[in-house]
Amino acid sequence: MTTEELSALSGLELMRWVQTEQPADFPSLRRLLGMRFDEVEHGRSVVSVDTQPDFANTLGTVHGGIAATLLDTAMGCAVHTTLAAGVGYTTLELKVNYVRAAGTDGRILSAEGTVIHCGRRTATAEGRVVDERGKLIAHATTTCLILPATG
């Protein structure tokens, strides 16, 4: 799909394209971390990743930046699903609370992002990261700046 064709998609349509059709070799943070888009719907997204030794901090557990990245992605993409074609967003603020460490041994971490409010200029969302047993790893809130369509 061309850049022009992608820019004509609504936020929800674009996120569904990312979920189902984006080429696996498309340069992205998603490819780098092995992130999957498990669920995409209006105002909600779920992303997951299999932990790996490269995610380790100096203590040998998953670095907090991995959980923050999952949260920023899930919440931002949830916001994106509510936007019209050509309208973008950027994270203004991200507040993460870490609850427990996660191992780097291939366990699945899943982040769910849900929109709380989406206005003309800003949007807010909340998110949670859980491990494959449903144990809470981290939770967060975000504020996003809505970027109007250009052109």
Side-chain angles (χ1 to χ4, degrees), residues 67-93:
T69 299
L70 286 171
L71 287 160
D72 190 39
T73 301
M75 293 184 298
C77 290
V79 167
H80 200 164
T81 65
T82 67
L83 303 178
V87 177
Y89 73 94
T90 190
T91 302
L92 281 175
E93 182 265 342

PDB file of all heavy atoms in Angstrom, residues 67-93:
ATOM      1  N   ALA A  67       8.253  -2.517  29.210  1.00  0.00           N
ATOM      2  CA  ALA A  67       6.862  -2.343  29.656  1.00  0.00           C
ATOM      3  C   ALA A  67       6.350  -0.965  29.252  1.00  0.00           C
ATOM      4  O   ALA A  67       5.210  -0.826  28.786  1.00  0.00           O
ATOM      5  CB  ALA A  67       6.755  -2.531  31.166  1.00  0.00           C
ATOM      6  N   ALA A  68       7.185   0.072  29.405  1.00  0.00           N
ATOM      7  CA  ALA A  68       6.771   1.424  29.029  1.00  0.00           C
ATOM      8  C   ALA A  68       6.489   1.507  27.530  1.00  0.00           C
ATOM      9  O   ALA A  68       5.528   2.157  27.107  1.00  0.00           O
ATOM     10  CB  ALA A  68       7.848   2.434  29.431  1.00  0.00           C
ATOM     11  N   THR A  69       7.316   0.841  26.731  1.00  0.00           N
ATOM     12  CA  THR A  69       7.115   0.842  25.281  1.00  0.00           C
ATOM     13  C   THR A  69       5.821   0.130  24.918  1.00  0.00           C
ATOM     14  O   THR A  69       5.056   0.605  24.071  1.00  0.00           O
ATOM     15  CB  THR A  69       8.318   0.188  24.570  1.00  0.00           C
ATOM     16  OG1 THR A  69       9.484   0.960  24.865  1.00  0.00           O
ATOM     17  CG2 THR A  69       8.112   0.114  23.069  1.00  0.00           C
ATOM     18  N   LEU A  70       5.561  -1.011  25.561  1.00  0.00           N
ATOM     19  CA  LEU A  70       4.301  -1.715  25.318  1.00  0.00           C
ATOM     20  C   LEU A  70       3.110  -0.836  25.686  1.00  0.00           C
ATOM     21  O   LEU A  70       2.126  -0.751  24.938  1.00  0.00           O
ATOM     22  CB  LEU A  70       4.243  -3.018  26.117  1.00  0.00           C
ATOM     23  CG  LEU A  70       5.108  -4.168  25.617  1.00  0.00           C
ATOM     24  CD1 LEU A  70       5.113  -5.293  26.647  1.00  0.00           C
ATOM     25  CD2 LEU A  70       4.607  -4.671  24.281  1.00  0.00           C
ATOM     26  N   LEU A  71       3.197  -0.176  26.831  1.00  0.00           N
ATOM     27  CA  LEU A  71       2.107   0.695  27.271  1.00  0.00           C
ATOM     28  C   LEU A  71       1.915   1.884  26.339  1.00  0.00           C
ATOM     29  O   LEU A  71       0.779   2.209  25.953  1.00  0.00           O
ATOM     30  CB  LEU A  71       2.347   1.161  28.706  1.00  0.00           C
ATOM     31  CG  LEU A  71       2.131   0.094  29.763  1.00  0.00           C
ATOM     32  CD1 LEU A  71       2.843   0.457  31.058  1.00  0.00           C
ATOM     33  CD2 LEU A  71       0.647  -0.138  29.977  1.00  0.00           C
ATOM     34  N   ASP A  72       3.006   2.549  25.968  1.00  0.00           N
ATOM     35  CA  ASP A  72       2.921   3.698  25.070  1.00  0.00           C
ATOM     36  C   ASP A  72       2.312   3.275  23.734  1.00  0.00           C
ATOM     37  O   ASP A  72       1.476   3.981  23.169  1.00  0.00           O
ATOM     38  CB  ASP A  72       4.307   4.309  24.872  1.00  0.00           C
ATOM     39  CG  ASP A  72       4.280   5.643  24.153  1.00  0.00           C
ATOM     40  OD1 ASP A  72       3.369   6.459  24.404  1.00  0.00           O
ATOM     41  OD2 ASP A  72       5.189   5.890  23.339  1.00  0.00           O
ATOM     42  N   THR A  73       2.697   2.115  23.239  1.00  0.00           N
ATOM     43  CA  THR A  73       2.169   1.601  21.979  1.00  0.00           C
ATOM     44  C   THR A  73       0.680   1.273  22.100  1.00  0.00           C
ATOM     45  O   THR A  73      -0.123   1.714  21.271  1.00  0.00           O
ATOM     46  CB  THR A  73       2.951   0.358  21.531  1.00  0.00           C
ATOM     47  OG1 THR A  73       4.327   0.702  21.372  1.00  0.00           O
ATOM     48  CG2 THR A  73       2.405  -0.214  20.238  1.00  0.00           C
ATOM     49  N   ALA A  74       0.308   0.505  23.112  1.00  0.00           N
ATOM     50  CA  ALA A  74      -1.094   0.094  23.254  1.00  0.00           C
ATOM     51  C   ALA A  74      -2.014   1.291  23.469  1.00  0.00           C
ATOM     52  O   ALA A  74      -3.077   1.389  22.845  1.00  0.00           O
ATOM     53  CB  ALA A  74      -1.235  -0.896  24.415  1.00  0.00           C
ATOM     54  N   MET A  75      -1.620   2.220  24.333  1.00  0.00           N
ATOM     55  CA  MET A  75      -2.477   3.372  24.612  1.00  0.00           C
ATOM     56  C   MET A  75      -2.517   4.324  23.417  1.00  0.00           C
ATOM     57  O   MET A  75      -3.585   4.813  23.043  1.00  0.00           O
ATOM     58  CB  MET A  75      -1.996   4.098  25.867  1.00  0.00           C
ATOM     59  CG  MET A  75      -2.159   3.272  27.136  1.00  0.00           C
ATOM     60  SD  MET A  75      -1.701   4.147  28.659  1.00  0.00           S
ATOM     61  CE  MET A  75       0.034   4.475  28.391  1.00  0.00           C
ATOM     62  N   GLY A  76      -1.354   4.596  22.803  1.00  0.00           N
ATOM     63  CA  GLY A  76      -1.325   5.472  21.641  1.00  0.00           C
ATOM     64  C   GLY A  76      -2.116   4.908  20.474  1.00  0.00           C
ATOM     65  O   GLY A  76      -2.854   5.636  19.798  1.00  0.00           O
ATOM     66  N   CYS A  77      -1.985   3.616  20.242  1.00  0.00           N
ATOM     67  CA  CYS A  77      -2.732   2.994  19.149  1.00  0.00           C
ATOM     68  C   CYS A  77      -4.228   2.977  19.446  1.00  0.00           C
ATOM     69  O   CYS A  77      -5.047   3.115  18.533  1.00  0.00           O
ATOM     70  CB  CYS A  77      -2.200   1.596  18.864  1.00  0.00           C
ATOM     71  SG  CYS A  77      -0.555   1.639  18.103  1.00  0.00           S
ATOM     72  N   ALA A  78      -4.597   2.831  20.713  1.00  0.00           N
ATOM     73  CA  ALA A  78      -6.017   2.930  21.079  1.00  0.00           C
ATOM     74  C   ALA A  78      -6.547   4.315  20.728  1.00  0.00           C
ATOM     75  O   ALA A  78      -7.642   4.454  20.164  1.00  0.00           O
ATOM     76  CB  ALA A  78      -6.204   2.630  22.561  1.00  0.00           C
ATOM     77  N   VAL A  79      -5.778   5.350  21.044  1.00  0.00           N
ATOM     78  CA  VAL A  79      -6.161   6.718  20.662  1.00  0.00           C
ATOM     79  C   VAL A  79      -6.263   6.819  19.147  1.00  0.00           C
ATOM     80  O   VAL A  79      -7.233   7.363  18.605  1.00  0.00           O
ATOM     81  CB  VAL A  79      -5.164   7.761  21.223  1.00  0.00           C
ATOM     82  CG1 VAL A  79      -5.364   9.120  20.577  1.00  0.00           C
ATOM     83  CG2 VAL A  79      -5.299   7.853  22.742  1.00  0.00           C
ATOM     84  N   HIS A  80      -5.277   6.277  18.448  1.00  0.00           N
ATOM     85  CA  HIS A  80      -5.264   6.374  16.986  1.00  0.00           C
ATOM     86  C   HIS A  80      -6.519   5.775  16.366  1.00  0.00           C
ATOM     87  O   HIS A  80      -7.016   6.277  15.352  1.00  0.00           O
ATOM     88  CB  HIS A  80      -4.011   5.698  16.437  1.00  0.00           C
ATOM     89  CG  HIS A  80      -3.664   6.136  15.054  1.00  0.00           C
ATOM     90  ND1 HIS A  80      -2.440   5.903  14.506  1.00  0.00           N
ATOM     91  CD2 HIS A  80      -4.355   6.802  14.103  1.00  0.00           C
ATOM     92  CE1 HIS A  80      -2.395   6.389  13.277  1.00  0.00           C
ATOM     93  NE2 HIS A  80      -3.562   6.937  13.019  1.00  0.00           N
ATOM     94  N   THR A  81      -7.053   4.715  16.967  1.00  0.00           N
ATOM     95  CA  THR A  81      -8.251   4.076  16.396  1.00  0.00           C
ATOM     96  C   THR A  81      -9.474   4.988  16.418  1.00  0.00           C
ATOM     97  O   THR A  81     -10.458   4.712  15.734  1.00  0.00           O
ATOM     98  CB  THR A  81      -8.622   2.775  17.140  1.00  0.00           C
ATOM     99  OG1 THR A  81      -9.002   3.091  18.483  1.00  0.00           O
ATOM    100  CG2 THR A  81      -7.494   1.761  17.111  1.00  0.00           C
ATOM    101  N   THR A  82      -9.424   6.065  17.177  1.00  0.00           N
ATOM    102  CA  THR A  82     -10.573   6.974  17.269  1.00  0.00           C
ATOM    103  C   THR A  82     -10.456   8.160  16.312  1.00  0.00           C
ATOM    104  O   THR A  82     -11.379   8.968  16.230  1.00  0.00           O
ATOM    105  CB  THR A  82     -10.729   7.532  18.702  1.00  0.00           C
ATOM    106  OG1 THR A  82      -9.628   8.388  19.009  1.00  0.00           O
ATOM    107  CG2 THR A  82     -10.835   6.403  19.725  1.00  0.00           C
ATOM    108  N   LEU A  83      -9.347   8.266  15.584  1.00  0.00           N
ATOM    109  CA  LEU A  83      -9.077   9.444  14.766  1.00  0.00           C
ATOM    110  C   LEU A  83      -9.497   9.268  13.313  1.00  0.00           C
ATOM    111  O   LEU A  83      -9.465   8.163  12.775  1.00  0.00           O
ATOM    112  CB  LEU A  83      -7.588   9.788  14.838  1.00  0.00           C
ATOM    113  CG  LEU A  83      -7.029  10.029  16.248  1.00  0.00           C
ATOM    114  CD1 LEU A  83      -5.534  10.307  16.175  1.00  0.00           C
ATOM    115  CD2 LEU A  83      -7.772  11.147  16.944  1.00  0.00           C
ATOM    116  N   ALA A  84      -9.839  10.384  12.683  1.00  0.00           N
ATOM    117  CA  ALA A  84     -10.210  10.394  11.271  1.00  0.00           C
ATOM    118  C   ALA A  84      -8.966  10.239  10.401  1.00  0.00           C
ATOM    119  O   ALA A  84      -7.830  10.403  10.866  1.00  0.00           O
ATOM    120  CB  ALA A  84     -10.934  11.700  10.935  1.00  0.00           C
ATOM    121  N   ALA A  85      -9.191   9.965   9.131  1.00  0.00           N
ATOM    122  CA  ALA A  85      -8.089   9.835   8.175  1.00  0.00           C
ATOM    123  C   ALA A  85      -7.246  11.098   8.166  1.00  0.00           C
ATOM    124  O   ALA A  85      -7.769  12.211   8.200  1.00  0.00           O
ATOM    125  CB  ALA A  85      -8.641   9.562   6.778  1.00  0.00           C
ATOM    126  N   GLY A  86      -5.943  10.917   8.162  1.00  0.00           N
ATOM    127  CA  GLY A  86      -5.024  12.032   8.093  1.00  0.00           C
ATOM    128  C   GLY A  86      -4.725  12.716   9.408  1.00  0.00           C
ATOM    129  O   GLY A  86      -3.816  13.537   9.499  1.00  0.00           O
ATOM    130  N   VAL A  87      -5.480  12.398  10.458  1.00  0.00           N
ATOM    131  CA  VAL A  87      -5.271  12.995  11.774  1.00  0.00           C
ATOM    132  C   VAL A  87      -4.288  12.110  12.531  1.00  0.00           C
ATOM    133  O   VAL A  87      -4.399  10.887  12.527  1.00  0.00           O
ATOM    134  CB  VAL A  87      -6.597  13.132  12.557  1.00  0.00           C
ATOM    135  CG1 VAL A  87      -6.361  13.695  13.948  1.00  0.00           C
ATOM    136  CG2 VAL A  87      -7.584  13.992  11.776  1.00  0.00           C
ATOM    137  N   GLY A  88      -3.313  12.736  13.181  1.00  0.00           N
ATOM    138  CA  GLY A  88      -2.309  11.987  13.917  1.00  0.00           C
ATOM    139  C   GLY A  88      -2.327  12.333  15.394  1.00  0.00           C
ATOM    140  O   GLY A  88      -3.204  13.051  15.878  1.00  0.00           O
ATOM    141  N   TYR A  89      -1.340  11.838  16.106  1.00  0.00           N
ATOM    142  CA  TYR A  89      -1.212  12.105  17.542  1.00  0.00           C
ATOM    143  C   TYR A  89       0.251  11.960  17.918  1.00  0.00           C
ATOM    144  O   TYR A  89       1.045  11.362  17.188  1.00  0.00           O
ATOM    145  CB  TYR A  89      -2.067  11.133  18.367  1.00  0.00           C
ATOM    146  CG  TYR A  89      -1.471   9.744  18.393  1.00  0.00           C
ATOM    147  CD1 TYR A  89      -0.636   9.352  19.440  1.00  0.00           C
ATOM    148  CD2 TYR A  89      -1.685   8.848  17.359  1.00  0.00           C
ATOM    149  CE1 TYR A  89      -0.047   8.096  19.448  1.00  0.00           C
ATOM    150  CE2 TYR A  89      -1.105   7.599  17.359  1.00  0.00           C
ATOM    151  CZ  TYR A  89      -0.287   7.225  18.402  1.00  0.00           C
ATOM    152  OH  TYR A  89       0.304   5.999  18.408  1.00  0.00           O
ATOM    153  N   THR A  90       0.592  12.494  19.058  1.00  0.00           N
ATOM    154  CA  THR A  90       1.903  12.255  19.643  1.00  0.00           C
ATOM    155  C   THR A  90       1.736  12.231  21.154  1.00  0.00           C
ATOM    156  O   THR A  90       0.831  12.890  21.692  1.00  0.00           O
ATOM    157  CB  THR A  90       2.943  13.317  19.213  1.00  0.00           C
ATOM    158  OG1 THR A  90       4.244  12.883  19.638  1.00  0.00           O
ATOM    159  CG2 THR A  90       2.632  14.688  19.771  1.00  0.00           C
ATOM    160  N   THR A  91       2.541  11.458  21.831  1.00  0.00           N
ATOM    161  CA  THR A  91       2.463  11.363  23.282  1.00  0.00           C
ATOM    162  C   THR A  91       2.985  12.642  23.913  1.00  0.00           C
ATOM    163  O   THR A  91       4.106  13.061  23.630  1.00  0.00           O
ATOM    164  CB  THR A  91       3.277  10.157  23.788  1.00  0.00           C
ATOM    165  OG1 THR A  91       2.775   8.967  23.179  1.00  0.00           O
ATOM    166  CG2 THR A  91       3.202  10.029  25.307  1.00  0.00           C
ATOM    167  N   LEU A  92       2.152  13.258  24.756  1.00  0.00           N
ATOM    168  CA  LEU A  92       2.563  14.426  25.534  1.00  0.00           C
ATOM    169  C   LEU A  92       3.114  14.016  26.893  1.00  0.00           C
ATOM    170  O   LEU A  92       4.049  14.620  27.406  1.00  0.00           O
ATOM    171  CB  LEU A  92       1.371  15.361  25.780  1.00  0.00           C
ATOM    172  CG  LEU A  92       0.935  16.277  24.664  1.00  0.00           C
ATOM    173  CD1 LEU A  92      -0.319  17.036  25.060  1.00  0.00           C
ATOM    174  CD2 LEU A  92       2.045  17.246  24.315  1.00  0.00           C
ATOM    175  N   GLU A  93       2.484  13.008  27.476  1.00  0.00           N
ATOM    176  CA  GLU A  93       2.848  12.590  28.838  1.00  0.00           C
ATOM    177  C   GLU A  93       2.570  11.107  28.981  1.00  0.00           C
ATOM    178  O   GLU A  93       1.585  10.589  28.454  1.00  0.00           O
ATOM    179  CB  GLU A  93       2.013  13.403  29.836  1.00  0.00           C
ATOM    180  CG  GLU A  93       2.295  13.117  31.291  1.00  0.00           C
ATOM    181  CD  GLU A  93       1.334  12.088  31.898  1.00  0.00           C
ATOM    182  OE1 GLU A  93       0.263  11.831  31.333  1.00  0.00           O
ATOM    183  OE2 GLU A  93       1.698  11.539  32.949  1.00  0.00           O
TER     184      GLU A  93
END
